[in-house]
Amino acid sequence: MPDTWRRFRRHRLALFGLALLAVLVAAVVFGPFLLPYDGERIDFAAKDLPPSLTHPMGTDELGRDQFSRVLDGGRLTLGVAASAVLVSLVLGVLVGAVAGYAGGLLDSALMRGVDIFYSLPALFVVILLVSLFGPGFLTIVVGIAALTWMNTARLVRASYLTLKEREFVEAARALGVPPTRIALRHILPNALGPVIVTATLGLAIAILIESGLSFLGLGFNPPQATWGGMLQESQRPVISEGHWWRGFFPGLMIFLTVLAANFVGDGLRDALDPRAAGRRRGA
Amino acid sequence: MTAPLLEVRDLRVRFDGDDGSVSAVNGVSFAVAPGEALALVGESGSGKSVSMLSVMGLLPPVARVEAGEVLWRGRDLLRLSERELQGVRGREVAMVYQDPQSSLNPALTVGTQLTMVLRHHLGLGRRAARARAAELLALVGIPEPQRRLDEYPHRFSGGQRQRILIALALACDPRLLIADEPTTALDVTIQAQILDLVRRLREQLEMAIVWITHDLGVVAGLVDRVAVMYGGTIVEEAPVRELFAAPSHPYTVGLLAAMPRLDEPRSARLRSIPGAPQSLAAPPVACPFAPRCEWAVARCSEELPALRPAGPLARAACHRADEVRARTEATVTR
């Protein structure tokens, strides 16, 4: 792991991405405590203001401070995205590891399950979930996870298939290490590299899906703000009234987060895969 | 002889492939006494590794034990469940593999790998396991063991990694160490160091050793007895001195003649045994070595010779063992 960090540090964009992510997270976690406005406080005296020093991101038609709302919404957006990635990761790793390590019938059964999830129309699933359980934090996290875990499962399964044939696994068996412990302690650490990379990229995808859902009105209900939801509310004001700041800032936040996550993912991929690092040096 | 630690009786193993099956081990029997060191010598495909893998219950899925018993202190290992075997492997019988580069987990520190085994088999606590792991590294001659516990395998040299593998195998004080050509991947000086280490550890820990190799020279100074394998059977078994002094099987004679010697002119070409070993589709009905044997007579391709006494402490599976022995005894005592 120290080697990984050393290689990661050499990757400028990744470091930049990591710093950006840190700033974004700190801002949405601590920001709302520091700002003078409450994101949900209505003040008709200050409605539809363009960005200024008092309202750096302007206000909306109810006079709510956009900057506060963006930070408030960021909490939910990032929280949903992180939770969804976590759920999707745990599920994917579990299914992939069991399938790859056990092999045989169990493997076939689990992989057909993956195929089924792949072939489900994404929008339909989410609409179904939301209409059944209502648009809550849990529903949306589960919905996003249900759409994204299969990649991880396939990736982990492939890793397990090759890793379980490696000699150190055989050597561990010869030392009497039981199979579950081999799968967890010996193989998992070797399979986790690519998974961590997909996780960072998955964060970006999760944010985009959540934004998409909110944009379609399937996300959280107003007045609760999320970046995607704010983007959706901004449609009319931006198009018919020219209030560009309504859409620009939430969009900018999504853009920055996704960009940062992608940079970090890229850097991690190079740092965790020694062959990629070798190519880099050779080139 | 005291009750053997390990006794293999008439072991037969087949490999089922897509293009027919192969008889890899055809009725192998041998015994290892407590504290004794035995070498299993033979070329690739002679069944030496397969025999020992069946002892460990680690045969690949395509292999099938057709008959035989593997008695470990009286218990038949072939009849144990996988779970019971896990308690024997690493605890009572441990194995060191050929390739130190790939037998250690690259993603775990050496300390983690050692403590995992210690905690699993001996139920040691975290601290005790770590202390013992450092002791083990010191035992196999790794300097600064405390510090190096936290390093990953790639920070160690090939010889050091083989030492670590030996430490892993010795972690729980096994009674038997199976070494599957552990020195082949190392260069000669490191090879000598590892052999020294094993010799020292054997005296110190009083464990039995089965050393699998294709190189008679490597084991000469290490083991008590040698079993020579050919075509999935043991063709000769003898105390190491007797085997070198007066081999009774033509194949052993050939193996010894094929070794480079210091006391011969350097221009002499290395002798080889003509022909190549064949893999057998069925258990042999005649001597498997007959097609390559300069001593072969008609009977050799008709009747399978049994392993029978051929000298004071030697046994050989050859119809003409007595004649072969008489000849080798008569020639220079090397």
Side-chain angles (χ1 to χ4, degrees):
Chain A
M1 281 305 149
D3 290 348
T4 308
W5 172 238
R6 200 168 38 79
R7 284 200 292 267
F8 186 82
R9 252 184 359 207
R10 279 209 299 258
H11 206 291
R12 289 247 178 93
L13 272 182
L15 268 189
F16 170 71
L18 194 65
L20 189 56
L21 266 189
V23 169
L24 284 167
V25 169
V28 303
V29 171
F30 302 111
F33 297 117
L34 305 176
L35 288 181
Y37 307 101
D38 176 343
E40 291 180 18
R41 203 199 56 175
I42 295 170
D43 176 8
F44 285 109
K47 72 178 187 131
D48 288 335
L49 295 177
S52 64
L53 280 177
T54 36
H55 299 289
M57 295 188 185
T59 59
D60 64 9
E61 72 269 18
L62 299 176
R64 295 178 293 194
D65 178 46
Q66 284 271 74
F67 190 37
S68 303
R69 269 175 75 71
V70 160
L71 294 187
D72 260 351
R75 278 186 174 184
L76 198 56
T77 304
L78 291 182
V80 164
S83 315
V85 164
L86 205 68
V87 173
S88 144
L89 217 60
V90 170
L91 189 64
V93 167
L94 195 73
V95 170
V98 171
Y101 193 65
L105 218 61
L106 195 54
D107 179 23
S108 305
L110 288 173
M111 283 304 111
R112 293 305 77 73
V114 167
D115 291 344
I116 289 172
F117 266 88
Y118 259 122
S119 53
L120 288 177
L123 204 55
F124 172 76
V125 173
V126 177
I127 292 174
L128 190 76
L129 271 174
V130 171
S131 50
L132 279 180
F133 303 105
F137 184 85
L138 205 63
T139 318
I140 291 169
V141 165
V142 169
I144 296 174
L147 294 176
T148 52
W149 65 275
M150 299 84 74
N151 252 333
T152 314
R154 282 198 174 161
L155 200 69
V156 171
R157 171 179 175 268
S159 300
Y160 265 72
L161 280 180
T162 45
L163 286 168
K164 75 173 177 184
E165 305 296 336
R166 292 273 295 275
E167 203 157 334
F168 66 80
V169 171
E170 179 79 3
R173 288 221 301 147
L175 288 168
V177 183
T180 43
R181 199 172 300 197
I182 290 183
L184 284 176
R185 300 286 320 268
H186 274 282
I187 303 187
L188 193 58
N190 284 286
L192 232 40
V195 171
I196 294 172
V197 177
T198 20
T200 54
L201 303 180
L203 193 69
I205 293 170
I207 290 172
L208 291 177
I209 294 180
E210 190 278 322
S211 303
L213 289 179
S214 298
F215 190 79
L216 292 171
L218 295 168
F220 295 96
N221 285 331
Q224 179 55 263
T226 66
W227 292 343
M230 293 176 71
L231 210 53
Q232 187 231 353
E233 289 168 8
S234 75
Q235 269 185 99
R236 207 188 39 81
V238 170
I239 295 167
S240 53
E241 289 158 37
H243 295 164
W244 58 271
W245 60 90
R246 297 287 307 277
F248 178 77
F249 291 106
L252 181 70
M253 298 302 276
I254 295 174
F255 170 74
L256 287 179
T257 313
V258 172
L259 195 71
N262 272 307
F263 283 165
V264 172
D266 252 12
L268 271 179
R269 187 185 54 220
D270 289 351
L272 287 170
D273 180 4
R275 277 177 313 164
R279 272 204 301 279
R280 195 164 275 281
R281 262 197 305 278
Chain B
M1 200 164 123
T2 48
L5 197 60
L6 173 74
E7 190 177 2
V8 175
R9 285 187 190 158
D10 195 34
L11 182 71
R12 290 168 192 275
V13 183
R14 284 188 82 76
F15 277 74
D16 293 314
D18 293 333
D19 39 357
S21 63
V22 175
S23 287
V25 176
N26 302 303
V28 160
S29 305
F30 63 88
V32 183
E36 186 189 30
L38 170 78
L40 275 185
V41 178
E43 50 204 296
S44 314
S46 60
K48 49 195 197 306
S49 296
V50 176
S51 301
M52 293 325 287
L53 284 177
S54 12
V55 170
M56 298 288 284
L58 289 174
L59 286 171
V62 290
R64 197 174 69 235
V65 175
E66 289 200 303
E69 287 179 317
V70 173
L71 297 176
W72 170 252
R73 299 162 70 205
R75 257 197 318 176
D76 189 354
L77 292 183
L78 297 178
R79 277 171 224 292
L80 291 192
S81 69
E82 174 65 23
R83 186 171 278 272
E84 287 171 309
L85 274 173
Q86 281 160 22
V88 176
R89 289 183 206 137
R91 178 75 187 88
E92 299 183 57
V93 188
M95 190 150 176
V96 178
Y97 280 91
Q98 201 172 67
D99 187 358
Q101 307 299 325
S102 54
S103 297
L104 285 170
N105 193 331
L108 301 178
T109 63
V110 166
T112 309
Q113 302 191 45
L114 276 163
T115 48
M116 203 187 300
V117 175
L118 288 165
R119 300 188 65 182
H120 173 61
H121 280 303
L122 305 181
L124 294 183
R126 204 175 285 276
R127 282 171 160 276
R130 200 180 150 81
R132 172 88 179 119
E135 271 175 44
L136 283 163
L137 283 194
L139 182 74
V140 297
I142 304 262
E144 292 185 80
Q146 276 295 349
R147 191 174 61 80
R148 307 220 70 185
L149 278 179
D150 296 320
E151 290 185 0
Y152 289 85
H154 72 267
R155 309 272 297 223
F156 294 85
S157 71
Q160 283 178 323
R161 270 184 251 184
Q162 193 56 275
R163 285 167 190 268
I164 293 167
L165 283 175
I166 292 173
L168 270 169
L170 298 182
C172 307
D173 267 324
R175 287 159 183 263
L176 174 66
L177 177 73
I178 299 174
D180 190 353
E181 310 213 25
T183 57
T184 34
L186 307 172
D187 59 54
V188 199
T189 45
I190 309 294
Q191 192 170 330
Q193 287 173 17
I194 296 288
L195 285 170
D196 273 345
L197 173 70
V198 174
R199 199 175 297 134
R200 177 169 65 79
L201 290 174
R202 190 196 152 200
E203 278 163 25
Q204 215 169 325
L205 307 174
E206 295 172 348
M207 62 182 172
I209 294 179
V210 173
W211 193 280
I212 302 172
T213 182
H214 57 255
D215 189 348
L216 267 174
V218 165
V219 294
L222 178 72
V223 300
D224 308 311
R225 254 178 341 124
V226 178
V228 180
M229 290 194 67
Y230 187 85
T233 57
I234 293 181
V235 293
E236 177 162 9
E237 192 201 327
V240 64
R241 287 182 175 283
E242 197 177 334
L243 188 97
F244 274 83
S248 309
H249 194 286
Y251 180 61
T252 317
V253 177
L255 275 188
L256 288 171
M259 278 167 56
R261 299 184 55 93
L262 280 176
D263 52 2
E264 271 176 15
R266 238 192 300 181
S267 56
R269 281 197 60 176
L270 287 181
R271 263 167 300 229
S272 63
I273 307 175
Q278 291 154 356
S279 61
L280 303 163
V285 290
C287 175
F289 188 59
R292 299 171 69 187
C293 180
E294 51 181 292
W295 292 77
V297 292
R299 189 181 169 205
C300 295
S301 41
E302 285 158 10
E303 190 188 329
L304 179 68
L307 199 60
R308 55 190 173 76
L313 291 163
R315 295 188 302 158
C318 177
H319 293 307
R320 304 182 67 189
D322 295 337
E323 295 165 65
V324 176
R325 190 180 175 92
R327 162 92 72 91
T328 54
E329 268 174 350
T331 49
V332 263
T333 9
R334 312 205 198 204

